[in-house]
Amino acid sequence: MNEQRRSGATAGERLSRLLALVPYLLARPGARVEDVAREFGISEDQLVKDLKLIWFCGLPGYLPGDLIEVDIEGGHIHVSNAETISRPLRLGADEATALLVALRALAEVPGLRDRDALHRIIAKLERAAGDAAEASHHVRVEVEAEERVVATVQTALAERRRVHLTYYVPGRDETTERDVDPMRLVLEGGRSYLEGWCHRAEAVRLFRVDRVVSIDLLDEPAQVPRDAEPINLDAGLFQPSPTDLLVTLELAPPARWVAEYYPCESVEELGEGRLRVRLRTPEPGWITRLALRLGDNGRVVDPPELVARVRQTAAAALAAYERTG
């Protein structure tokens, strides 16, 4: 799954990438393979495959002099005979609208640094988008961040003080009490998170701001251990641990989205559009809820204790439904 995501699996996604790749390389003669792959969020192998495909593209006639020339030597890329598509693609009206709406939502996040710089970017994009920018003024996104929570965390960060959280954990459907030494506020996937050293878990944890039931600023100084590292979010927010429970699911075609939505250790094609996926989770309870949600389109096949738990939960739910029916 991760490789599918990194490669840009659909033909439409790949075409968009190729159309952006050519002007990018024309403007950067000799760009390194590893740098370009990182910039486009794909693997180096996938980039080479894309470049080989570009070799066969060009103007009608498709004689040697009509085709784009690509040369990779010593890890450096040179593209020529592609001046007809040397200008980067312009944003479509829907793309410009979506980008402006997202930037304005970001600008409303309490405690955001460099807000002026963000407003300058929005103004430049509005000028470039022209009439397409008008539609974005009619769309508003409410950012979920609780102002009081964010303000308290900002104070704690500035004064290096500990906070006490009453925090809701949906995976266990319970409210917990914990002391946290704040490290930073992050915005990921349109939601705000407090990252800090949790004294209950004795580890760095992320706390979703809208799940903070209450927060109190304590008089105790924050004491984040020197070896505590911020969580790397480059690969996404949810990164399973090797010690988490390994679960195997078999998915029918309508449930293939699971392999795209959740980080999987392996994805195996079973034929007729069916998949077998393996993923890790620290909370088996959500796998049970996922299995019930999928119904006939998905089933847990391993580990045995989780299979039994899903069956018991499904049977209890069915019995309750029959009693109320």
Side-chain angles (χ1 to χ4, degrees):
M1 187 279 299
N2 290 337
E3 184 57 32
Q4 288 177 341
R5 181 176 296 170
R6 285 175 58 82
S7 68
T10 70
E13 291 171 341
R14 192 179 190 191
L15 176 60
S16 296
R17 185 171 67 242
L18 292 175
L19 290 173
L21 186 59
V22 172
Y24 178 91
L25 292 172
L26 284 171
R28 298 166 178 81
R32 292 176 57 84
V33 170
E34 60 189 65
D35 296 335
V36 177
R38 182 171 58 252
E39 183 70 22
F40 280 79
I42 57 177
S43 67
E44 294 182 27
D45 287 342
Q46 181 60 44
L47 175 61
V48 172
K49 291 179 182 178
D50 286 350
L51 294 173
K52 288 181 178 179
L53 179 58
I54 290 175
W55 268 324
F56 296 97
C57 300
L59 296 173
Y62 305 108
L63 297 174
D66 300 321
L67 299 179
I68 297 173
E69 296 180 5
V70 180
D71 180 48
I72 307 175
E73 184 176 353
H76 295 270
I77 309 168
H78 294 272
V79 174
S80 59
N81 202 34
E83 287 70 19
T84 53
I85 55 172
S86 60
R87 295 183 63 183
L89 292 175
R90 293 176 60 88
L91 289 175
D94 56 341
E95 294 171 322
T97 298
L99 182 55
L100 282 167
V101 169
L103 288 173
R104 291 198 185 100
L106 178 61
E108 295 179 4
V109 174
L112 181 69
R113 297 181 179 179
D114 296 328
R115 195 182 304 275
D116 290 341
L118 183 57
H119 284 303
R120 290 195 297 271
I121 292 173
I122 293 173
K124 290 181 180 179
L125 182 58
E126 286 177 334
R127 289 194 297 270
D131 294 339
E134 180 61 27
S136 67
H137 290 286
H138 302 288
V139 180
R140 180 175 177 81
V141 176
E142 295 292 339
V143 179
E144 101 309 317
E146 299 276 347
E147 289 192 12
R148 192 181 71 83
V149 174
V150 173
T152 302
V153 172
Q154 287 287 353
T155 301
L157 286 167
E159 300 179 3
R160 298 183 180 181
R161 291 164 63 183
R162 185 171 299 171
V163 295
H164 178 80
L165 301 181
T166 302
Y167 187 72
Y168 175 65
V169 183
R172 299 193 296 270
D173 192 25
E174 66 177 9
T175 301
T176 61
E177 304 286 334
R178 57 187 78 207
D179 287 349
V180 177
D181 294 334
M183 296 167 61
R184 61 174 176 165
L185 273 170
V186 295
L187 185 68
E188 178 71 22
R191 298 188 182 276
S192 299
Y193 294 82
L194 160 63
E195 182 180 59
W197 178 263
C198 176
H199 289 268
R200 172 176 172 148
E202 295 186 345
V204 176
R205 290 289 185 266
L206 283 170
F207 302 96
R208 221 170 89 174
V209 167
D210 64 335
R211 291 178 180 165
V212 176
V213 179
S214 65
I215 182 170
D216 295 305
L217 187 61
L218 304 180
D219 291 331
E220 300 177 59
Q223 296 179 336
V224 179
R226 291 185 178 181
D227 59 349
E229 295 287 340
I231 297 173
N232 185 353
L233 300 178
D234 291 343
L237 183 63
F238 301 104
Q239 303 171 44
S241 166
T243 60
D244 290 344
L245 180 68
L246 181 62
V247 179
T248 303
L249 299 167
E250 289 187 357
L251 307 170
R256 290 176 66 95
W257 61 267
V258 173
E260 294 292 333
Y261 193 80
Y262 298 107
C264 299
E265 290 206 346
S266 65
V267 178
E268 178 185 356
E269 292 281 354
L270 299 178
E272 299 180 346
R274 297 169 57 248
L275 294 178
R276 179 182 292 118
V277 302
R278 292 181 176 85
L279 52 83
R280 292 188 181 274
T281 176
E283 295 289 348
W286 82 265
I287 292 288
T288 301
R289 294 191 295 273
L290 175 64
L292 295 179
R293 174 184 176 186
L294 295 176
D296 293 338
N297 290 319
R299 67 187 186 97
V300 180
V301 297
D302 195 61
E305 61 271 20
L306 188 54
V307 174
R309 178 175 175 177
V310 171
R311 288 175 178 170
Q312 292 171 359
T313 304
L318 182 60
Y321 175 79
E322 290 176 346
R323 287 196 301 270
T324 59

